[in-house]
């Protein structure tokens, strides 16, 4: 399932659409999202504005497509871990580390993509909500499987446990916090995973 | 001990200085910190610019004084809890709730103080680092007392436990996240305190 986005036009899998997104990531990464216009982008890619408008009805629609792409990748990374059938505690720990790594990857090369992130948060673009819900469903599945297998305690309501873990995960993948602890993010993820696993012990 | 601040002038306990800070909180709260100049502020308070410069060498110095005041209050609230000698687990839970409440209090009336917060985070004003360190020392004291009293497990290094708890606390008091979960902050704090206390169980 693909992340829902606003303002998208034309066939979703059109190759040109992907080219525009790739060029936009490059361009926003260098010049910033807020300062770029569709005209700047068209010039840089060598397409007409009208052609870009065939696929996206605004700059924001391109921004949303970039965000959704990143969220799709993060979701798929987590899904692979959750599906691999190893011990639930092992998978839970790897979810923490994977989220830290994919968050770092996004921002390590192109710091100016932060710009998009701020807009996404301020304007509540739909892909972050969709990602949050998908992640929560996977975390709940791990909790259930860990309880069924006797790895995790069963006294706390599952709903409370998963709410708490989602709040803790936020400090790893929330982009607004990232700039402040990029250098320590992987270590922070490990330390938080340990705390969560101690809290889950029967 | 007062929080260290840059750009402060004149006797720290001067009554006029406090009046300027109080008026600045009011003014920034209405018109925003970023858009206000020292001249606007002087007009609003009915003082000359020169008089304000006797106490603060820039608008930022006034902003830092406001931040430090808030951090001093939060630190004192937590200190009272940590000092009251009840069970360590009970005090730990109340620290979570107190931080949620004081964060909410700051922003419930005057949403535009967010402006100051963004500047404080972007420009790394010293009071938040000082607050973070003071809070960490208090959390460590609670961990030691809980371990000594047999309430908390002793296997995890204290340093790791306190790092993890500080990261969890961040999602309650970090002002950048606040706007996104103001309505649920007190409930979130309770759920996170429960998770942390389960992780501390022997």
């Amino acid at each position: 399932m693909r992340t829902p986005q606003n303002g998208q036009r034309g066939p979703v899998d059109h190759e040109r659409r992907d080219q525009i997104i790739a060029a936009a990531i490059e361009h926003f990464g260098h010049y910033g999202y807020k300062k770029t216009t569709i005209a700047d982008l068209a010039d840089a890619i060598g397409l007409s504005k009208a052609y870009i408008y065939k696929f996206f009805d605004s700059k924001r629609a391109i921004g949303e497509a970039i965000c959704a792409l990143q969220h799709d990748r993060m979701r798929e990374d987590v899904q692979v871990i959750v599906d691999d059938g190893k011990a639930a505690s092992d998978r839970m720990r790897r979810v923490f580390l994977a989220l830290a790594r994919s968050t770092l990857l996004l921002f390590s090369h192109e710091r100016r993509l932060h710009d998009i992130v701020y807009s996404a948060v301020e304007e509540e673009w739909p892909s972050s909500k969709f990602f949050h819900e998908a992640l929560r469903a996977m975390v709940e599945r791990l909790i259930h499987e860990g309880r069924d297998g006797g790895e995790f305690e069963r006294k706390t309501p599952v709903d409370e446990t998963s709410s708490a873990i989602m709040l803790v995960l936020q400090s790893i993948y929330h982009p607004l916090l990232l700039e402040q602890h990029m250098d320590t993010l992987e270590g922070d993820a490990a330390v938080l995973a340990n705390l969560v696993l101690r809290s889950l012990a029967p």
Side-chain angles (χ1 to χ4, degrees), chain A:
Chain A
M1 187 168 35
R2 285 182 80 118
T3 301
Q5 300 152 50
N6 296 324
Q8 316 293 314
R9 287 174 173 163
V12 169
D13 56 358
H14 197 293
E15 200 181 313
R16 274 293 200 190
R17 186 180 177 281
D18 293 344
Q19 282 172 5
I20 295 170
I21 293 175
I25 292 176
E26 190 74 17
H27 196 78
F28 292 153
H30 276 101
Y31 301 100
Y33 169 75
K34 286 190 180 168
K35 285 186 185 159
T36 301
T37 64
I38 289 263
D40 297 335
L41 198 59
D43 276 352
I45 308 176
L47 295 172
S48 69
K49 269 171 64 176
Y51 194 78
I52 291 180
Y53 279 120
K54 275 195 189 168
F55 297 92
F56 302 98
D57 70 7
S58 61
K59 182 176 76 167
R60 171 171 162 162
I62 303 176
E64 286 198 30
I66 293 173
C67 264
L69 196 68
Q70 169 65 8
H71 280 132
D72 283 343
R73 280 192 198 138
M74 287 168 77
R75 196 162 40 78
E76 281 157 21
D77 288 351
V78 174
Q79 189 74 59
V80 168
I81 294 168
V82 171
D83 284 343
D84 85 1
K86 298 208 172 118
S89 51
D90 177 66
R91 285 181 281 159
M92 185 69 84
R93 184 189 306 281
R94 282 186 295 135
V95 167
F96 275 72
L97 299 179
L99 285 174
R101 272 183 213 127
S102 55
T103 307
L104 279 175
L105 203 64
L106 177 66
F107 292 110
S108 53
H109 301 302
E110 304 292 3
R111 296 291 298 247
R112 303 204 62 170
L113 286 179
H114 278 254
D115 236 26
I116 293 195
V117 163
Y118 274 87
S119 298
V121 172
E122 274 168 19
E123 296 167 7
E124 300 184 349
W125 294 0
S127 84
S128 62
K129 186 163 181 275
F130 185 80
F131 173 71
H132 183 90
E133 281 163 15
L135 184 59
R136 185 178 173 118
M138 293 192 276
V139 164
E140 271 183 16
R141 189 181 133 199
L142 282 184
I143 295 169
H144 280 295
E145 291 181 11
R147 288 180 177 213
D148 292 346
E151 283 179 79
F152 297 161
E153 60 94 9
R154 295 162 184 235
K155 272 187 285 185
T156 315
V158 171
D159 196 49
E160 176 176 339
T161 303
S162 55
S163 293
I165 294 176
M166 288 302 292
L167 286 164
V168 174
L169 278 173
Q170 185 176 255
S171 48
I172 295 171
Y173 77 80
H174 201 298
L176 287 185
L177 295 180
L178 187 68
E179 268 175 300
Q180 293 179 276
H181 67 156
M182 240 168 129
D183 300 338
T184 56
L185 192 65
E186 289 199 61
D188 289 352
V191 152
L192 284 171
N194 287 343
L195 177 136
V196 163
L197 289 174
R198 288 194 298 278
S199 81
L200 289 169

